[in-house]
Amino acid sequence: MKEISLEELKKLELDILTFVADFCDRNGIVYYLCGGTMLGALRHNGFIPWDDDIDIMLMRKDYERLISEFPKHDYYKVIDNRIDNNYPFAFATVNDIRTYKKENKLRKRYTKCLCVNVDVFPIDTVPSNDKDINCFFDMVARQGNKLKCAIDRYGQGVGIWGIIRKNIAIFIFRCMELLRFQKPEDIVEQFRIIAQSYNEEDSPYCGITSIAHYGAKEVNPKENYGVVKHQFEDKEFNIISGYDRYLSQLYGNDYMSLPPEEKRRTHHVSNCFWR
């Protein structure tokens, strides 16, 4: 297989984003750029130069509509854990199936359905007070750690003791899996259910809850999720009206300043190829 260059990768992802945005706009589905993609839009009018992915987020109702109504296409396909139980995350992706993504830290069985993609995160309601918010995201973090033990390869961890602890946890899970006490796809499904725990609550706050990376920093008032347009590369896409609070919480009040050179690196560990 021929490896995809960084510039090819960014163009493929931008093409996916353009297709998804056009589909959403035509069908009254509201999406937003999120995370580093939103930061890239505000600070660079496009990709963060040393980053290589695109993320979007949608309110849970619009997220479900995108998955269920996504049109048939020759090579774009939406995947979540209900469509393919070997897909190892609690959020969806829109994929270019002409490609293959080798995620170096994942068990081989969970890389088979991975492609060059745009990550698609649902926005869910969270509790209305700080104490319950922190308890909720503690539960999200525990589920995230459990999922990593289920889907990561041996050898993962940070520092010698982190690697030892992580590999012991992975070994314990492998034993449980072998004895059929719990399957990795069950953990993904549990994560998806936990993420929606407060959607029936009358709370003014929401955020991405299907990943554990930022935790309670994801929480914002629902009123901040109005739509404004902003340039990303050669087009304009949706970002939230409350982008300043959102980005300040994730990246600090000086998010418009460039980080030190030693921190200008991607956090991803994957290689992409043409099939």
Side-chain angles (χ1 to χ4, degrees), residues 60 63 80-81 87-92 120-122 147 187-193 195 209-211:
R60 176 66 69 169
Y63 171 88
D80 82 341
N81 70 306
Y87 175 74
F89 304 111
F91 56 88
V120 183
F121 297 103
L147 181 58
I187 296 175
V188 179
E189 177 63 15
Q190 289 166 6
F191 204 157
R192 192 178 68 82
I193 292 170
T209 63
S210 55
I211 54 172

Side-chain angles (χ1 to χ4, degrees), residues 103-272:
E103 286 280 1
N104 299 317
K105 68 179 183 180
L106 293 180
R107 295 168 68 180
K108 188 174 181 179
R109 62 180 284 196
Y110 298 115
T111 66
K112 293 179 179 179
C113 63
L114 301 183
C115 311
V116 171
N117 66 276
V118 167
D119 288 334
V120 183
F121 297 103
I123 303 166
D124 291 299
T125 299
V126 302
S128 57
N129 64 79
D130 289 343
K131 180 181 178 181
D132 288 344
I133 286 172
N134 289 329
C135 288
F136 174 63
F137 278 98
D138 284 345
M139 180 169 59
V140 168
R142 288 194 297 272
Q143 193 67 17
N145 288 333
K146 187 188 295 186
L147 181 58
K148 286 181 180 179
C149 291
I151 67 176
D152 280 1
R153 297 171 60 184
Y154 284 111
Q156 303 303 309
V158 178
I160 183 65
W161 293 113
I163 293 172
I164 291 171
R165 288 194 299 269
K166 180 69 177 288
N167 282 274
I168 290 172
I170 290 174
F171 175 75
I172 291 171
F173 182 85
R174 296 289 193 278
C175 292
M176 293 177 63
E177 182 181 6
L178 187 63
L179 295 171
R180 301 182 182 274
F181 287 134
Q182 191 160 43
K183 297 181 292 185
E185 51 266 37
D186 294 336
I187 296 175
V188 179
E189 177 63 15
Q190 289 166 6
F191 204 157
R192 192 178 68 82
I193 292 170
I194 289 170
Q196 301 179 70
S197 297
Y198 285 86
N199 279 352
E200 301 303 318
E201 300 291 325
D202 184 20
S203 169
Y205 298 106
C206 64
I208 294 173
T209 63
S210 55
I211 54 172
H213 186 65
Y214 290 115
K217 292 180 180 179
E218 292 278 4
V219 176
N220 283 271
K222 290 179 178 178
E223 64 189 23
N224 282 15
Y225 288 79
V227 175
V228 295
K229 294 283 187 180
H230 200 283
Q231 182 178 345
F232 185 87
E233 298 299 328
D234 58 348
K235 297 179 175 63
E236 287 192 337
F237 297 97
N238 295 351
I239 63 172
I240 65 171
S241 55
Y243 62 83
D244 184 63
R245 170 171 169 159
Y246 175 90
L247 292 173
S248 294
Q249 290 183 171
L250 295 190
Y251 305 109
N253 293 331
D254 61 344
Y255 63 83
M256 291 298 286
S257 300
L258 292 176
E261 286 196 23
E262 63 270 18
K263 294 187 177 181
R264 299 177 193 177
R265 53 187 174 83
T266 180
H267 61 277
H268 297 104
V269 286
S270 60
N271 301 95
C272 298

